[in-house]
Amino acid sequence: MLRPYMFLSCLIPGPHNPKARIDVYLQPLIDDLKKLWSGVQTYDVSRKQNFMTRASLMWTINDFPAYGMLSGWGTQGKLACPYCMEHTKAFRLEHGKKNSWFDSHRRFLPNTHTFRKNKKAFTKAKVEMGGPPSMLTSEEVYHTMKNVPTIIDEPHLSKLPGYGEWHNWTKRSIF
Amino acid sequence: MFGLKATRIDCCIKGCMLFYDNEYGKNDGHLLQCKFCHKTRYHDPKVGTSKRKLIPMKTMFYLPIIPRLQRLFTSMQTVGQMIWHYDNRRPSGVLRHPSDGQAWKNFDQVHPDFAAEPRNIRLGLCYDRFNPYIQASAKPYSCWPVTFLLKCAC
């Protein structure tokens, strides 16, 4: 990735972590992205003509704590995994009292993989037969979150009912 | 031709809202107090100094992305790179660029009108925290830059 093709767009001041209220600071950015999706008049020097260019945001690149801030699925606690979501196989260690995600990964292997039948190296005497959890589509995410107010309308949003028990949603994401 | 400006937007000290206007119905640029927590926007002016500029409690920097994207099409050096992914298409099975990935191809299927124009831009948003002052300071200050990556260029 060369330098001309990456540029700083926002600088969000501190001194504290904005947490879920990051959406407030992203508002001008989202306005510009909306404009870019419908098209912006641009001059192309190689063809010497004007054209409508459009842009879409395809990915976000961030670390795991920032993932929780951008996506709206909290990345703490037992339901931290944003792939497994409420179908997680995480458990609490009996004496250490910490959450553990041990042996949650075998279900992502191909069905015929030898590790699935291994009874010694993973959880003792357990053959993993289950498949991976189904992936949420954008419509499903919208359907679950459509009644939750956005952070822009309600910046002091309290914890949603059931947080940490059957879901880990913290907010409706701005994206 | 393009003034690549950086704009400063005042924000509530607690981060509840931004004091700005947009085309989508937001009209908060004139407010002097936060709508939610009622904290003031500016520091109290000092007594005895009548003609002082008001100092905002907190400001964020916004660098508009549209002129920055438009500028890439006005230079002969960068304009070729903008359609690199279209000129250098690889046979399937080779993974060398984001355009070989499943997400890119799926997006093209869902939005064929977007995919038809190779000059359309695909962006990635990077977001992370950094500490601009001393790392081991007793009161760490966290700053959050948001960066855009162009996925179409190499």
Side-chain angles (χ1 to χ4, degrees):
Chain A
M1 187 57 65
L2 299 171
R3 212 171 153 192
Y5 309 106
M6 52 197 293
F7 33 82
L8 182 70
S9 167
C10 271
L11 193 56
I12 298 165
H16 303 293
N17 186 339
K19 298 206 171 152
R21 265 180 245 165
I22 171 74
D23 288 4
V24 170
Y25 300 100
L26 292 180
Q27 282 176 85
L29 204 70
I30 301 293
D31 294 341
D32 270 1
L33 284 174
K34 276 185 194 166
K35 260 184 251 168
L36 280 166
W37 177 246
S38 50
V40 174
Q41 188 91 299
T42 308
Y43 179 68
D44 185 343
V45 74
S46 65
R47 300 189 201 176
K48 299 206 169 23
Q49 59 175 2
N50 275 328
F51 74 108
M52 293 296 275
T53 186
R54 295 171 70 198
S56 66
L57 183 67
M58 294 205 47
W59 291 286
T60 62
I61 302 147
N62 37 254
D63 57 3
F64 203 54
Y67 189 175
M69 291 159 67
L70 287 174
S71 68
W73 179 268
T75 46
Q76 299 99 359
K78 198 177 167 184
L79 300 167
C81 175
Y83 280 90
C84 303
M85 303 184 95
E86 58 270 21
H87 310 293
T88 184
K89 289 192 173 180
F91 59 92
R92 200 153 185 233
L93 297 175
E94 199 181 321
H95 301 294
K97 298 198 169 63
K98 281 182 172 182
N99 289 323
S100 167
W101 283 264
F102 178 69
D103 202 17
S104 302
H105 307 86
R106 262 200 294 171
R107 56 172 164 171
F108 291 94
L109 291 171
N111 279 336
T112 50
H113 202 281
T114 46
F115 282 2
R116 277 181 176 268
K117 288 182 187 166
N118 195 327
K119 290 183 187 173
K120 283 183 185 167
F122 302 98
T123 313
K124 264 181 194 160
K126 197 188 163 210
V127 177
E128 179 65 65
M129 297 302 288
S134 61
M135 272 180 132
L136 276 181
T137 61
S138 49
E139 288 83 18
E140 282 167 343
V141 174
Y142 177 72
H143 187 72
T144 12
M145 298 309 288
K146 68 180 176 188
N147 294 324
V148 178
T150 55
I151 289 293
I152 295 149
D153 298 326
E154 214 170 292
H156 300 279
L157 190 68
S158 53
K159 266 186 188 170
L160 304 176
Y163 175 84
E165 289 166 38
W166 67 83
H167 74 82
N168 233 12
W169 293 108
T170 51
K171 62 169 183 181
R172 185 163 127 200
S173 176
I174 194 169
F175 290 114
Chain B
M1 188 173 172
F2 293 116
L4 297 181
K5 283 190 289 187
T7 50
R8 295 178 75 150
I9 301 173
D10 297 352
C11 17
C12 164
I13 190 149
K14 282 189 159 186
C16 313
M17 62 173 290
L18 300 180
F19 298 98
Y20 88 118
D21 309 317
N22 68 7
E23 297 97 84
Y24 301 98
K26 210 161 226 330
N27 194 15
D28 298 333
H30 63 282
L31 294 181
L32 293 175
Q33 263 190 352
C34 172
K35 281 195 285 189
F36 302 100
C37 67
H38 307 294
K39 297 261 179 200
T40 54
R41 174 174 173 177
Y42 298 108
H43 283 286
D44 289 338
K46 279 181 187 164
V47 183
T49 49
S50 55
K51 284 186 181 173
R52 260 287 164 82
K53 220 175 140 188
L54 288 167
I55 302 158
M57 288 281 197
K58 195 169 169 180
T59 51
M60 67 167 285
F61 287 90
Y62 177 60
L63 299 97
I65 53 170
I66 293 176
R68 283 171 176 76
L69 293 177
Q70 284 173 330
R71 185 183 58 162
L72 292 173
F73 286 101
T74 57
S75 161
M76 282 307 270
Q77 271 142 24
T78 49
V79 71
Q81 290 286 317
M82 296 301 281
I83 51 169
W84 188 92
H85 68 98
Y86 184 77
D87 295 337
N88 295 274
R89 274 179 290 190
R90 271 84 42 205
S92 63
V94 182
L95 193 62
R96 202 175 72 184
H97 187 261
S99 61
D100 304 327
Q102 202 63 49
W104 189 293
K105 286 170 185 166
N106 187 32
F107 185 84
D108 284 357
Q109 272 179 6
V110 179
H111 302 285
D113 54 326
F114 188 92
E117 169 64 88
R119 286 178 291 188
N120 283 338
I121 303 160
R122 294 156 210 249
L123 297 164
L125 185 141
C126 307
Y127 177 60
D128 203 0
R129 162 198 181 135
F130 81 101
N131 186 349
Y133 307 123
I134 311 160
Q135 283 291 320
S137 125
K139 272 177 113 181
Y141 184 99
S142 79
C143 215
W144 295 77
V146 180
T147 319
F148 271 108
L149 295 182
L150 259 73
K151 290 290 171 187
C152 27
C154 184

